[in-house]
Amino acid sequence: MGKGRRTVPDRAEAKIERFRHKIVQRLSSDQRRAKNHGLARNGRVAETLCFMALIRDPARRKRPILPVPNVSCTAAVRQFFRADDGEQAAHLLPGQISIDGAFPWLFLAGPAARQLENLFGYVEPLRADYNKADSAAEANGLTDAFADACRRVLTSKGEPAADIVAAYEQVWQPGALAAFAAAEAQKRSKPTPPPLERGVGLEYGMILNFEERMAAFEDDSIWATYEQLSILGYYKAAMDETPRQLQLRAIREILALPPA
């Protein structure tokens, strides 16, 4: 499997993505952007699991896989566009899945292969703290959770839609939550702003340590840690919502893609 410079999998789709993210003005709060990034990741994971169900089907598969396939998740190799204006391109999927050392789209043909390859190229232009929060989660088990969920579908033998949902709910969801929690614990080992101290009685509602907190926030590294912890918290909140891509109709749309 080749490594190196990230490439654009589909130039027509890349043009659409650049317009959607760079030209169309998005008016949303950081809180909404963080949660939306988490929701988008979960949706793309659900779609990827659908394609794993196609790959496990001998009638659809274009190359053999091992009885117990080696599924790994490594650094991204596809990317639709680069960010600018001080932002970074944050991938939606946690990394690049490979099956027995090969890119997964090589096991399929036609629209299914193209759409699966595109999944690994989707990015969002976000501040650097998003990529730092993502990287911390990936280093603490997020990539493993993604690979494990893909392996679960590839090796299951039940009804495809049920296996996809089970892999998402029983493997990806708890694995991702554990990764976000571990990343939070890692971030909290670094200096962070002191917690809010609020008054009681006549001082009810007042922030008693306002100046102390403001002084802490003047340190860029402390501010960055605080921001990344906040982002990880919204990623956890996003796990409470079931992505539309996990609905039966959405799953069936992918499973019904033409074989060539």
Side-chain angles (χ1 to χ4, degrees):
M1 184 174 68
K3 294 182 179 179
R5 186 172 179 273
R6 291 172 181 170
T7 55
V8 176
D10 183 329
R11 295 198 175 277
E13 187 72 7
K15 184 177 181 180
I16 295 171
E17 286 297 295
R18 282 195 299 271
F19 178 82
R20 190 163 70 90
H21 286 294
K22 290 189 171 185
I23 307 302
V24 177
Q25 187 175 16
R26 291 185 171 273
L27 300 175
S28 60
S29 66
D30 277 344
Q31 293 88 346
R32 175 45 57 183
R33 293 185 80 183
K35 188 172 182 182
N36 280 349
H37 187 61
L39 292 171
R41 172 170 41 230
N42 293 337
R44 297 302 186 185
V45 167
E47 289 183 70
T48 305
L49 298 180
C50 294
F51 286 101
M52 296 300 110
L54 289 181
I55 292 172
R56 84 182 192 191
D57 181 357
R60 299 291 301 259
R61 195 166 59 241
K62 299 303 178 182
R63 57 192 298 168
I65 61 174
L66 296 173
V68 181
N70 176 22
V71 182
S72 61
C73 183
T74 55
V77 297
R78 296 290 188 266
Q79 183 171 313
F80 275 126
F81 60 84
R82 295 180 180 274
D84 47 30
D85 297 328
E87 294 186 317
Q88 295 181 357
H91 278 83
L92 296 184
L93 288 177
Q96 177 61 61
I97 290 291
S98 66
I99 303 170
D100 297 337
F103 292 130
W105 53 83
L106 298 178
F107 292 85
L108 298 171
R114 184 177 65 254
Q115 289 185 33
L116 177 56
E117 184 176 6
N118 283 351
L119 278 178
F120 293 94
Y122 288 113
V123 292
E124 288 184 325
L126 297 168
R127 290 185 291 103
D129 284 323
Y130 285 84
N131 261 340
K132 291 177 180 178
D134 289 353
S135 295
E138 290 159 9
N140 281 279
L142 196 68
T143 54
D144 292 337
F146 186 32
D148 290 346
C150 289
R151 186 183 303 104
R152 170 73 171 267
V153 175
L154 285 170
T155 57
S156 295
K157 301 183 183 301
E159 195 275 324
D163 288 342
I164 291 163
V165 173
Y168 182 93
E169 294 180 347
Q170 298 173 18
V171 182
W172 165 251
Q173 200 166 29
L177 284 170
F180 296 143
E184 285 179 325
Q186 186 181 68
K187 295 292 180 184
R188 289 195 179 97
S189 69
K190 301 177 180 180
T192 56
L196 279 173
E197 294 179 8
R198 293 191 178 275
V200 296
L202 294 176
E203 295 180 326
Y204 178 78
M206 294 178 60
I207 300 175
L208 301 181
N209 62 338
F210 179 80
E211 292 184 359
E212 183 184 2
R213 280 174 60 83
M214 289 303 99
F217 280 129
E218 290 178 2
D219 186 318
D220 288 343
S221 64
I222 292 179
W223 174 255
T225 300
Y226 177 82
E227 287 286 278
Q228 292 157 33
L229 279 166
S230 176
I231 290 166
L232 288 165
Y234 284 105
Y235 288 170
K236 288 167 62 178
M239 300 303 299
D240 293 335
E241 297 187 25
T242 301
R244 61 173 179 77
Q245 293 93 333
L246 208 61
Q247 296 174 358
L248 184 58
R249 181 172 62 180
I251 291 174
R252 285 174 173 169
E253 285 179 2
I254 292 178
L255 297 182
L257 286 170

